[in-house]
Amino acid sequence: MTSTSAILPTYKRQPIRFARGQGSWLYTADGTPYLDALTGIAVCGLGHCHPQISAAIAEQAAILVHTSNLYEIDWQETAGAKLCQVAGMDKAFFANSGAEANEAALKMARRYAHTRGMARPKVIVMQHAFHGRTLLTVSATANETARAGFYTLDDDFIRVPFGDSAAIEAALAAHDDVCAVMLEPIQGESGVNTAADGFEYLAQVRAVCDAHDVLMILDEVQTGNGRTGRYFAYQHSTIAPDILTTAKGLGNGFPVGACMTRGHANEIFGYGAHGSTYGGTPLACRVVAEVIDVITSEAAMSTAQRNSELLQTTLLAALGDEGVTLRGAGMMLGVVLPTDRGIEFTSLVDKAREHHRLLINVAGGNAIRLLPPLNMTADETLDMAERLIALLKNELAV
Ligand SMILES: *Cc1c(COP(=O)(O)O)cnc(C)c1O
């Protein structure tokens, strides 16, 4: 079938378009409201068109948008300081997306190895990992559809099971050319996968990295910016990474990413080592500063935590007996559905949208991935739970 669209068909789109967004809601042109449990894939964590953020965008757009990194940029300094403060990191490099932030992190690890005389260093990554779509980050990614046919740089990565620090230890014992371990605290794209040991797993990974003197890179592109109930998910643990990346919720819809460093990782990149024409514009960084202010001042994380508990208890009370389980943290939840009840997982997204005006995503085969706004109201949270329960009760025929 030949499409008349001028857009390359890289996405299989749902047959709906939205004209307007406000808070937890998206509206079609005729005004029909849809409750958004996905927020543009964990991006609009503060809801659509948050008034303070929209006002900051409009104001800054009329003052100064871009000058380039050839000059000092006040908003970049301000946003960098605020971000490092909430992240517990020292320094930041601003990029425009998650993949770019991860690309910077991986390049940093390779440069670190190079200065230590390694010929062709490897990075340990996880099964089911997702790190982006540039050639290096898609090579770090596990998803076969994303990798197929791209001559991925597989010799540069070692893949081990997620949640198993002994497997990292074994890989490090078997290879003397590893420069870093890279992972997501909770794996988002592959279905909200959590480690069996929870966030304690991160401390185990940290110990293994320290024992072998390799960098620990955390990809918090999805888990960051309050999503899991802490500013960064790693802050549920007792440790800190050497390199931390984020994007998605960092701009609440404005494209921006960041790669942060701590301790000896601060020294890896010097003049000319890396760059980005757009990275860290006055406009993007003003948005970052505003997002951090709103997350902090609106107590968005405690709201997210409270609503998460409400969502979880409501869902489990209605569906727990039907074999439905939950995983994740804060406002990043996987509703794991039983595989022996004849549920047609691929039709759930359409049914939720068409019959319940609820926007969801299905990941990892049998998990509904919920990434709702951090700051939704308790009423909206219950409304979301009720729509989900109606959908699933029908699927489970109870
Ligand atoms: C979305 C995502 C990325 C890629 O971010 P883009 O902005 O799409 O490049 C990388 N890592 C994780 C964990 C993600 O969820």
Side-chain angles (χ1 to χ4, degrees), residues 10 33 53 71 113 124 176 185 236 246 354 398:
T10 56
I53 295 162
Y71 310 106
I124 295 176
D176 58 8
H236 288 282
T246 194
E354 287 170 9
V398 290

Side-chain angles (χ1 to χ4, degrees), residues 212-225:
H212 291 267
D213 196 16
V214 301
L215 295 166
M216 179 173 177
I217 305 172
L218 282 183
D219 175 350
E220 294 226 30
V221 169
Q222 186 159 155
T223 53
N225 306 290

Side-chain angles (χ1 to χ4, degrees), residues 220-240:
E220 294 226 30
V221 169
Q222 186 159 155
T223 53
N225 306 290
R227 179 53 58 191
T228 72
R230 296 285 163 90
Y231 211 99
F232 285 96
Y234 91 79
Q235 292 164 332
H236 288 282
S237 80
T238 52
I239 57 94

Side-chain angles (χ1 to χ4, degrees), residues 97-99 102 130-132 184 189 219 221-222 248:
S97 66
N102 286 337
F130 186 86
H131 296 299
E184 302 151 79
E189 294 305 299
D219 175 350
V221 169
Q222 186 159 155
K248 292 203 167 96

Side-chain angles (χ1 to χ4, degrees), residues 123-141:
V123 175
I124 295 176
V125 290
M126 304 298 137
Q127 286 172 6
H128 306 295
F130 186 86
H131 296 299
R133 302 286 198 148
T134 65
L135 188 54
L136 195 53
T137 59
V138 87
S139 301
T141 291

Side-chain angles (χ1 to χ4, degrees), residues 9 63-64 80 113 173 239 242 254 283 333-334 387:
I63 298 172
L64 187 63
I239 57 94
D242 301 297
F254 195 92
L283 180 54
L333 294 174
R387 289 176 200 230

Side-chain angles (χ1 to χ4, degrees), residues 202-375:
L202 298 181
Q204 296 161 7
V205 175
R206 177 78 265 180
V208 174
C209 288
D210 287 345
H212 291 267
D213 196 16
V214 301
L215 295 166
M216 179 173 177
I217 305 172
L218 282 183
D219 175 350
E220 294 226 30
V221 169
Q222 186 159 155
T223 53
N225 306 290
R227 179 53 58 191
T228 72
R230 296 285 163 90
Y231 211 99
F232 285 96
Y234 91 79
Q235 292 164 332
H236 288 282
S237 80
T238 52
I239 57 94
D242 301 297
I243 301 174
L244 176 69
T245 62
T246 194
K248 292 203 167 96
L250 183 64
N252 209 56
F254 195 92
V256 60
C259 174
M260 289 165 271
T261 59
R262 195 177 63 86
H264 56 285
N266 295 342
E267 317 300 328
I268 301 170
F269 274 178
Y271 293 137
H274 195 52
S276 167
T277 301
Y278 283 138
T281 65
L283 180 54
C285 287
R286 169 109 189 241
V287 174
V288 168
E290 202 68 37
V291 165
I292 295 171
D293 283 351
V294 173
I295 290 180
T296 326
S297 70
E298 283 192 0
M301 288 180 284
S302 48
T303 307
Q305 198 51 48
R306 214 169 37 246
N307 286 334
S308 173
E309 281 155 27
L310 183 59
L311 198 51
Q312 292 187 55
T313 30
T314 314
L315 290 174
L316 284 179
L319 301 164
D321 289 345
E322 300 299 323
V324 174
T325 59
L326 298 173
R327 62 186 180 217
M331 281 306 208
M332 180 172 185
L333 294 174
V335 182
V336 187
L337 306 175
T339 51
D340 59 356
R341 300 284 295 270
I343 299 176
E344 207 186 300
F345 300 113
T346 50
S347 69
L348 288 177
V349 168
D350 288 338
K351 286 177 182 161
R353 189 189 65 250
E354 287 170 9
H355 305 320
H356 305 280
R357 307 232 187 282
L358 176 68
L359 303 175
I360 57 166
N361 173 250
V362 172
N366 66 326
I368 294 180
R369 180 169 55 152
L370 300 179
L371 299 161
L374 307 179
N375 56 355

